[in-house]
C-alpha cells in the first residue's frame, strides 16, 4: 500500500489543479452578483488561470530540473493552497483575478513536477499503472468540476469552491513525505533570458487567441524568434531545441497540440446542455459522468499493460477513438441521451492515449524530465486555449459543428502521433530509450 502513496499525493495535487479549471464555470453567476463583476471580468476569472498555466508551464519544468522535482512540487502545492485561501476571502473581483493568477503559478509547477516525479518514482509495469491512474484522475477531475462547483455553490457559497483546496493541499503535503528525494544530477543554471522570452511569446499568443488581437500574434512571433536564438546559443538552455529535430518528439508535440481540442469540446458540450437542453448545472455535469467513467476504466486497464504494448499502437489508436467519439456525437446528435455512445468512446480513447503519451514523452533522460514534462504541459495548454477559441467561433453554427471540427482536429492528432510513435521501441521503454532521447 505504501508503494502507491506517492501516486496518491501526485494525483490529489493534479485533481486540485484540473478541477479548478472547470469548477468556477458553474459558480460564475453567483460570484459575479456577489462581487458586482461584469461579464468580461467573470470571463477573466477563467482566462487568468488558463493563460498563466500556458505561460509558465515550460519555465516551471526547468525549475524542477534545477532545484529538484520534489522540492518544487512541495513549494507549488503550498502556493496553490495559499492562493486558494486568497481566492476564498477575496473582497473584490480584481483581487480574485490576481489570486487566480497566483493559483496558476503554483499549478504550472505542480503539473510539470508531478509528471516528472511519477517517471522517477515508478519504473516498468508500475510506471504504466501510475500514468494510467494519473491520466484517469485528470479526466475525472475535468468532468467532475462542474458538478462539484454546483454542489458547493448551491449548498454553501461560491467561496467554498476555493476553500476545499486548503485541506486537500495540506493532505498532499503530508503524503509527500512518502516520496524518496530524487537525486538531481548536475543541476543547470537558470536560463533567465529563455524563461523571459518564452513567457512573453506564450502570453502574447494565448491572449491573441483569446482576444483575437492580430498585433499580439506579431509580438508572439518576435518573442518566439528571440527565444529560439537564445536557446541555440545558451550552453544550458531551458528547452533543448535539438529534441525537436527528432521526428518522434516533434510529431508527438503536434499530436498533443491538435488533439487537445477534445478537452475544449467538453466546455461547449456542457454549455449546450445547459442553454439548449435546459439542464441545470448539476444534471449537466452528471451527463459527463459516462465519459469520466470510461476514461478512468480505460486508463486503469491500459496502464497495467502499458509497458508491454507498443506506443505506435496505443497513442494513435486512443486519439483516433476520441476522434470517432466526437464524430459519433455529430452523427447521433438529438438530445443529451444520444451523446452517450460518443462520450463513452471519447472517454475510452482519452484513457488509452493519455498514459501512453505521458510515458513516451517522459522517457527522456532524468536531467531532461522537467524539460519534457514542461514542454508537454505547455503544448497541451496552448492546444486547449486554441481549441476553445476556434470552437467558440464554430459554436454559433451549432454544437454539431463543434463535434465535427473537434473530430477533424483529433484525426490530425492521431496521424501526428502515429508518425511520432514509429521512432519508439515496441518493448518497455525502460529497456531501450526512444531515439529522440539520444541528444548529445
Amino acid at each position: 500500500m505504501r508503494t502507491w502513496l506517492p501516486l496518491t499525493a501526485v494525483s490529489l495535487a493534479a485533481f486540485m489543479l484540473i478541477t479548478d479549471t472547470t469548477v468556477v464555470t458553474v459558480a460564475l453567476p453567483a460570484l459575479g452578483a456577489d462581487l458586482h463583476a461584469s461579464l468580461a471580468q467573470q470571463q477573466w476569472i477563467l482566462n487568468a488561470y488558463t493563460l498563466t498555466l500556458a505561460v509558465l508551464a515550460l519555465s516551471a519544468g526547468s525549475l524542477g530540473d534545477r532545484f529538484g522535482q520534489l522540492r518544487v512540487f512541495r513549494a507549488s502545492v503550498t502556493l496553490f493552497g495559499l492562493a486558494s485561501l486568497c481566492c476564498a476571502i477575496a473582497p473584490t473581483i480584481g483581487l480574485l483575478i490576481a489570486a487566480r493568477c497566483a493559483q496558476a503559478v503554483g499549478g504550472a509547477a505542480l503539473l510539470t513536477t508531478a509528471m516528472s516525479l511519477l517517471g522517477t518514482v515508478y519504473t516498468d509495469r508500475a510506471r504504466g499503472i501510475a500514468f494510467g491512474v494519473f491520466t484517469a484522475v485528470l479526466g475525472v477531475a475535468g468532468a467532475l468540476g462542474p458538478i462539484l462547483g454546483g454542489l458547493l455553490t448551491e449548498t454553501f457559497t461560491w467561496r467554498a469552491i476555493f476553500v476545499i483546496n486548503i485541506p486537500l493541499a495540506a493532505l498532499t503535503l503530508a503524503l509527500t513525505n512518502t516520496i524518496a528525494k530524487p537525486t538531481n544530477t548536475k543541476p543547470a543554471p537558470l536560463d533567465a533570458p529563455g524563461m523571459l522570452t518564452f513567457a512573453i511569446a506564450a502570453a502574447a499568443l494565448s491572449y491573441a487567441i483569446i482576444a483575437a488581437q492580430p498585433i499580439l500574434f506579431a509580438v508572439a512571433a518576435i518573442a518566439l524568434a528571440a527565444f529560439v536564438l537564445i536557446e541555440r546559443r545558451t550552453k544550458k538552455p531551458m528547452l533543448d531545441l535539438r529534441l525537436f529535430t527528432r521526428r518522434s518528439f516533434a510529431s508527438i508535440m503536434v499530436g498533443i497540440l491538435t488533439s487537445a481540442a477534445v478537452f475544449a469540446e467538453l466546455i461547449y458540450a456542457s454549455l449546450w446542455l445547459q442553454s439548449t437542453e435546459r439542464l441545470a448545472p448539476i444534471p449537466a455535469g452528471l451527463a459527463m459522468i459516462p465519459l469520466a467513467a470510461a476514461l478512468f476504466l480505460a486508463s486503469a486497464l491500459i496502464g497495467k499493460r502499458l509497458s508491454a504494448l507498443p506506443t505506435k499502437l496505443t497513442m494513435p489508436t486512443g486519439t483516433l477513438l476520441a476522434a470517432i467519439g466526437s464524430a459519433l456525437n455529430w452523427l447521433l446528435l438529438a438530445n443529451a441521451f444520444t451523446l452517450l455512445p460518443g462520450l463513452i468512446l471519447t472517454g475510452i480513447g482519452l484513457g488509452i492515449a493519455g498514459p501512453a503519451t505521458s510515458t513516451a514523452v517522459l522517457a527522456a533522460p532524468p536531467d531532461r524530465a522537467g524539460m519534457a514534462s514542461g514542454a508537454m504541459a505547455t503544448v497541451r495548454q496552448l492546444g486547449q486555449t486554441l481549441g476553445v477559441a476556434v470552437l467558440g467561433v464554430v459554436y454559433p453554427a451549432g454544437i454539431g459543428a463543434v463535434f465535427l471540427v473537434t473530430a477533424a482536429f483529433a484525426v490530425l492528432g492521431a496521424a501526428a502521433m502515429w508518425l511520432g510513435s514509429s521512432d519508439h521501441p515496441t518493448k518497455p521503454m525502460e529497456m531501450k530509450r526512444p531515439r529522440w532521447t539520444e541528444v548529445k
Side-chain angles (χ1 to χ4, degrees), residues 163-229:
V163 172
I164 195 173
N165 288 332
I166 299 170
L168 288 178
L171 179 58
T172 299
L173 286 174
L175 288 173
T176 58
N177 292 324
T178 65
I179 304 176
K181 186 176 181 180
T183 57
N184 201 27
T185 58
K186 298 181 181 179
L190 287 179
D191 176 16
M195 294 173 70
L196 178 62
T197 51
F198 183 82
I200 294 173
L205 177 60
S206 299
Y207 188 72
I209 293 171
I210 292 171
Q213 293 287 340
I215 191 171
L216 290 178
F217 284 106
V219 173
I222 294 171
L224 184 60
F227 171 74
V228 171
L229 289 175

Side-chain angles (χ1 to χ4, degrees), residues 95-435:
L95 289 175
L96 177 58
I97 292 173
R100 286 284 283 172
C101 290
Q103 263 192 320
V105 171
L110 186 158
L111 183 59
T112 55
T113 53
M115 291 187 290
S116 299
L117 282 174
L118 289 182
T120 302
V121 173
Y122 299 104
T123 59
D124 301 314
R125 184 172 181 268
R127 177 182 288 184
I129 295 173
F131 277 128
V133 172
F134 183 73
T135 301
V137 169
L138 296 182
V140 170
L144 293 183
I147 303 173
L148 184 62
L151 286 171
L152 292 174
T153 302
E154 291 181 15
T155 306
F156 302 102
T157 171
W158 65 265
R159 298 182 187 274
I161 65 176
F162 299 112
V163 172
I164 195 173
N165 288 332
I166 299 170
L168 288 178
L171 179 58
T172 299
L173 286 174
L175 288 173
T176 58
N177 292 324
T178 65
I179 304 176
K181 186 176 181 180
T183 57
N184 201 27
T185 58
K186 298 181 181 179
L190 287 179
D191 176 16
M195 294 173 70
L196 178 62
T197 51
F198 183 82
I200 294 173
L205 177 60
S206 299
Y207 188 72
I209 293 171
I210 292 171
Q213 293 287 340
I215 191 171
L216 290 178
F217 284 106
V219 173
I222 294 171
L224 184 60
F227 171 74
V228 171
L229 289 175
I230 290 170
E231 298 306 280
R232 291 185 64 181
R233 296 180 180 181
T234 302
K235 291 183 178 180
K236 298 293 183 180
M238 176 177 69
L239 178 63
D240 193 333
L241 297 178
R242 291 174 296 176
L243 295 177
F244 289 92
T245 65
R246 301 292 179 176
R247 185 181 68 179
S248 176
F249 186 81
S251 298
I252 291 173
M253 290 297 109
V254 172
I256 292 172
L257 179 72
T258 53
S259 60
V262 177
F263 294 96
E265 168 196 79
L266 301 180
I267 296 174
Y268 293 99
S270 178
L271 180 61
W272 176 75
L273 289 170
Q274 294 181 64
S275 61
T276 303
E277 294 297 292
R278 304 296 181 184
L279 294 181
I282 294 177
L286 290 173
M288 296 295 167
I289 290 294
L291 183 146
L295 192 156
F296 183 85
L297 291 174
S299 295
L301 292 174
I302 200 69
K304 293 180 180 179
R305 298 165 176 80
L306 194 59
S307 62
L309 294 174
T311 53
K312 65 176 63 178
L313 171 66
T314 51
M315 286 194 297
T317 299
T319 308
L320 185 59
L321 286 176
I324 296 173
S326 295
L328 202 58
N329 284 333
W330 171 65
L331 286 171
L332 301 179
L333 181 63
N335 52 53
F337 293 103
T338 60
L339 296 183
L340 185 62
L343 289 177
I344 291 176
L345 194 58
T346 299
I348 293 172
L350 294 176
I352 294 172
T357 304
S358 297
T359 301
V361 172
L362 293 181
D367 62 338
R368 289 185 176 88
M371 182 188 296
S373 60
M376 180 170 63
T378 298
V379 168
R380 179 173 289 154
Q381 193 61 48
L382 288 174
Q384 290 184 29
T385 303
L386 177 61
V388 169
V390 172
L391 296 182
V393 174
V394 174
Y395 183 67
I399 189 64
V402 170
F403 289 135
L404 187 60
V405 171
T406 301
F409 272 117
V411 168
L412 290 175
M417 296 243 182
W418 181 80
L419 288 173
S421 63
S422 63
D423 274 357
H424 282 270
T426 57
K427 298 296 182 182
M429 292 185 184
E430 289 72 26
M431 296 173 63
K432 178 182 177 183
R433 290 194 180 281
R435 293 178 188 173

